[in-house]
Amino acid sequence: MSRRAKRPLNEEAVKAADDEIYKRHESDPRPNPLYDVNGNRTPLSATDPAQTALRTEWMDLYVANGGEIESSAKDPTPPGQPVKPCPGDPSCPPGSGTVKHDPIPNSDPDKANLSVRLVHACDSTPLKDGTVRITGPESREGTTAADGWVHFNQITPGYYDIEGIAPKHQQGTTSADCPAATDTAVVLKLQAEVKMTAVKATEIVVLDNLGNPLAAHPILEFKITDGPPNHLFDIQLSRTGAATLSGGPGLAGSWVEADGRDARMGRKEFSSWSNGQTALQLDGAGAGTFKMPLEWWRDQARQPLTSFNEFSYSYRVVTFKAGPTPTCAASSVGTAKLQNNLTGFRVVDLGYVNGGTDKSIRMEGNLREANSNAMFTFVQWKIGGREQYAGTPAVMTRPTVQDYNIIHDSNYPVSQLDRVGTDPRYWNGVYTISPDGKKMSATDAPGGGLSAGFTHQFTHIDFDTRIHLNFEVPAAVTVTRQDGAAPVFGVVVGVIANPQPVTLASAPWLTRVLAALKADGTTAVTHPAAFAGP
């Protein structure tokens, strides 16, 4: 015969028995029936085979502390099976279970009993004054007592949807099958509700020329309130939708600063815990703040224009007492929007000028935030060259040009920077700014007329104009090839040293100019795709 606690339960005796049984087994080798490998308490559960032997011990402690037992309790379970308590027993397990019960006096044996307990998700402490609604063959609503339980007796048997909510906690749902003449017990674990809001719901990603945020456009920041005091927390963001924000702390495949820029660029999720920020803690009032890492902010600015106009980030915070589990509280999901400061980039073809000897273009960058052009710079690359011919038979030579402060032949066999000086930035980074401060531009007009003493000159250069974040472009060109000797070198190649700046947008264009001496001494200018010589 098994003993059963007499109703109503003696709450003081229940607490004393719980405390004492945990205390008795605290020093047992871990894991044990009441403590996991990390030293966390395992909830008392009469359906856990590992705890079967503890039921008698717990009942002895309950009685020793003033609790009473029924005088003629019957064992409702077959020999060798764990004893399943009725729903009012404080050791009723988290989860659901079905137990036979002695008929309630004057009760209908064709009815069912359903008991629901609301507990804190972190430590399973009961939640008082919670509301439980059941919907199925019939609908009822009840309020939880100090032990977290609410009982729905003598209900129509069948399948019930169960909804629980408690003050300062998030809603929880489950379901249960309630057969006739049966007690069904369900425990709902509710996460505490913590509040998280973005300091600014919409922000333009703006940086200065050194890659630092501006006071008017700070890094995305969050405020946390109404959380569990002194708990650790994990900030989670996703631009793939709220569905990604589940579990934690930590999000698989999320942004980690240590991975490096190129590996991070495609990451759409962020978790402060995954990023190694595992000591973040709310204060004694359950409040805190979190500012996104600077490199994360820069990585938003590094996104190509084709993929970034506006990002919508879902966000939430989860909290926990110590270590990564269990989760004690979670906020509802909010949304923050980030806007790209670069809204457009193009190269405008202005046609051939100066009698057709020069190709005129204008490069333009359009900005969302006025007078923030220091964030960006133009860089232009070229490949090709110029050939000039004289004599009979014609002999080819090349005109001279200056790149990187070096005089050399106009011959660019590989893609290289188009710069007269050593700064990779086109026009040394100083551009024409529109009156409203939202457009930066520069011009170019490469080409070549016919020099005296020559019969033909052909200019064929392909350009690629790019826009980058200013801080990613180094101060000086790196010269990787320099043939010949002063005063005029042969091939000279200048590039940007690795790591290469991220290209936010680019535009290819070209010039083709053939200047040929006519019999009357004038010059004919045409624009053929190629010229093999006279």
Side-chain angles (χ1 to χ4, degrees):
M1 177 183 297
S2 65
R3 294 175 293 171
R4 178 176 295 163
K6 185 177 181 180
R7 276 41 174 189
L9 294 172
N10 183 325
E11 297 296 338
E12 292 184 1
V14 168
K15 184 178 185 305
D18 286 353
D19 291 343
E20 181 63 26
I21 199 168
Y22 279 117
K23 184 177 180 180
R24 286 186 178 184
H25 295 274
E26 187 173 13
S27 60
D28 293 351
R30 309 229 177 107
N32 62 54
L34 291 182
Y35 288 89
D36 64 21
V37 69
N38 296 316
N40 299 313
R41 288 185 175 186
T42 302
L44 290 171
S45 171
T47 61
D48 183 353
Q51 295 186 15
T52 301
L54 298 176
R55 180 169 173 77
T56 299
E57 184 180 357
W58 184 91
M59 190 63 70
D60 289 342
L61 292 169
Y62 177 70
V63 173
N65 284 279
E68 297 184 54
I69 61 172
E70 294 180 357
S71 58
S72 58
K74 296 180 180 180
D75 191 343
T77 59
Q81 298 296 315
V83 178
K84 296 183 178 180
C86 66
D89 196 310
S91 61
C92 191
S96 61
T98 303
V99 295
K100 295 291 182 180
H101 71 287
D102 294 330
I104 297 175
N106 303 318
S107 66
D108 185 343
D110 293 329
K111 295 290 187 178
N113 295 331
L114 170 62
S115 294
V116 180
R117 193 185 197 197
L118 302 184
V119 299
H120 195 297
C122 188
D123 55 14
S124 295
T125 55
L127 296 174
K128 182 184 177 183
D129 295 328
T131 299
V132 177
R133 299 182 182 89
I134 63 171
T135 306
E138 57 181 284
S139 297
R140 292 196 191 181
E141 182 177 305
T143 302
T144 59
D147 61 1
W149 286 104
V150 60
H151 306 290
F152 301 99
N153 292 324
Q154 298 295 280
I155 60 175
T156 303
Y159 195 84
Y160 283 85
D161 291 324
I162 303 167
E163 174 187 297
I165 186 66
K168 296 185 178 181
H169 284 72
Q170 292 186 334
Q171 180 181 357
T173 59
T174 188
S175 56
D177 186 19
C178 301
T182 301
D183 287 338
T184 299
V186 174
V187 173
L188 268 180
K189 290 188 173 185
L190 304 185
Q191 289 186 344
E193 191 171 51
V194 56
K195 295 180 181 178
M196 176 181 175
T197 57
V199 174
K200 293 185 70 174
T202 301
E203 182 60 277
I204 305 172
V205 182
V206 182
L207 300 168
D208 65 15
N209 63 314
L210 300 178
N212 296 314
L214 302 181
H217 295 282
I219 296 174
L220 181 63
E221 186 175 5
F222 300 97
K223 287 187 177 180
I224 308 164
T225 57
D226 297 336
N230 303 313
H231 278 45
L232 300 173
F233 67 87
D234 176 30
I235 298 292
Q236 300 177 348
L237 281 79
S238 172
R239 68 173 193 256
T240 59
T244 310
L245 304 180
S246 61
L251 294 175
S254 59
W255 187 95
V256 175
E257 183 167 352
D259 288 346
R261 184 197 71 183
D262 294 342
R264 298 189 310 249
M265 287 292 293
R267 307 279 173 80
K268 298 180 180 180
E269 276 72 46
F270 174 87
S271 157
S272 56
W273 185 273
S274 296
N275 191 42
Q277 298 169 277
T278 57
L280 299 174
Q281 190 173 17
L282 301 178
D283 63 19
T289 60
F290 181 79
K291 182 179 291 187
M292 298 300 292
L294 174 59
E295 280 304 319
W296 182 89
W297 193 243
R298 289 172 173 172
D299 280 352
Q300 309 310 299
R302 290 179 174 118
Q303 299 299 317
L305 181 59
T306 53
S307 61
F308 178 28
N309 176 49
E310 181 177 274
F311 285 153
S312 180
Y313 271 101
S314 300
Y315 64 80
R316 73 164 188 163
V317 61
V318 295
T319 72
F320 33 94
K321 274 190 172 180
T325 55
T327 298
C328 296
S331 70
S332 56
V333 176
T335 302
K337 295 184 183 299
L338 301 185
Q339 295 179 329
N340 194 345
N341 191 27
L342 182 65
T343 60
F345 172 76
R346 65 175 182 167
V347 168
V348 181
D349 187 342
L350 301 175
Y352 287 96
V353 297
N354 297 331
T357 61
D358 303 314
K359 179 63 171 289
S360 179
I361 64 99
R362 183 175 64 250
M363 54 191 79
E364 297 177 349
N366 297 312
L367 313 178
R368 196 183 302 270
E369 179 65 16
N371 301 314
S372 60
N373 53 286
M375 179 177 178
F376 304 104
T377 193
F378 300 130
V379 173
Q380 186 158 278
W381 296 74
K382 62 185 176 181
I383 187 171
R386 298 174 180 86
E387 296 87 38
Q388 56 190 8
Y389 299 85
T392 304
V395 176
M396 188 274 286
T397 57
R398 296 183 185 276
T400 59
V401 293
Q402 177 177 306
D403 284 297
Y404 334 126
N405 295 334
I406 301 170
I407 304 298
H408 65 99
D409 293 337
S410 180
N411 184 17
Y412 324 118
V414 296
S415 184
Q416 61 191 73
L417 287 168
D418 181 25
R419 290 299 294 121
V420 173
T422 59
D423 189 339
R425 296 161 180 80
Y426 199 76
W427 279 16
N428 291 333
V430 180
Y431 305 117
T432 301
I433 307 302
S434 62
D436 65 359
K438 293 186 175 183
K439 180 180 291 186
M440 52 190 288
S441 63
T443 59
D444 195 6
L450 187 62
S451 299
F454 293 92
T455 60
H456 297 79
Q457 178 172 302
F458 183 51
T459 300
H460 56 99
I461 308 174
D462 292 359
F463 294 91
D464 185 21
T465 307
R466 305 172 186 176
I467 187 168
H468 302 288
L469 293 170
N470 205 351
F471 76 93
E472 287 205 321
V473 177
V477 171
T478 296
V479 176
T480 60
R481 179 179 174 184
Q482 187 170 308
D483 298 351
V488 178
F489 291 84
V491 173
V492 177
V493 176
V495 299
I496 293 176
N498 290 326
Q500 295 298 300
V502 174
T503 299
L504 305 177
S506 64
W509 58 280
L510 57 81
T511 181
R512 296 289 187 271
V513 178
L514 175 61
L517 185 65
K518 297 194 298 184
D520 62 2
T522 61
T523 301
V525 178
T526 57
H527 307 286
F531 179 66

